[in-house]
Amino acid sequence: MIGNLKPLEILLIIAVIVLLFGAKKLPEMARSLGKSARILKSEAKAMKSEGAAEDAARTADQAPQQAAPRTIKAAPGDVTSSRPVGEPNHTAQG
């Protein structure tokens, strides 16, 4: 269905989106969508590696070891949101 769109139809869709959201909001929306995609990708990779590690531990019959605390990784340039999971985010008060 999407592959059947003609260039004029694509331009019309883009024009409607610009009219609905405004030209100032579109870059911000694209940036937040990119951050979300990066976070989703990193979490999926972490889940996959954790699953592989658990499978390897089961097959090797090793005793369970205490894992390092998981950390939510921030997007590049965002240094305020990286913190260990389960701990409150404390900010300096002055």
Side-chain angles (χ1 to χ4, degrees):
M1 167 131 180
I2 294 175
N4 296 336
L5 294 178
K6 297 174 184 156
L8 183 60
E9 294 170 341
I10 293 173
L11 288 175
L12 182 64
I13 292 171
I14 291 172
V16 169
I17 290 172
V18 169
L19 287 174
L20 286 176
F21 297 107
K24 292 182 180 179
K25 288 278 186 180
L26 289 178
E28 180 182 324
M29 290 171 57
R31 225 175 277 118
S32 62
L33 182 65
K35 283 183 182 179
S36 299
R38 279 192 297 272
I39 291 171
L40 180 66
K41 184 179 177 181
S42 67
E43 287 297 320
K45 189 184 291 187
M47 288 175 64
K48 187 181 271 189
S49 66
E50 286 176 5
E54 289 175 4
D55 289 344
R58 279 191 219 133
T59 58
D61 250 0
Q62 295 176 345
Q65 299 175 357
Q66 186 175 8
R70 284 188 58 208
T71 302
I72 298 173
K73 296 184 180 177
D78 184 15
V79 295
T80 59
S81 64
S82 180
R83 64 186 186 283
V85 176
E87 293 181 17
N89 187 6
H90 297 288
T91 57
Q93 297 178 358

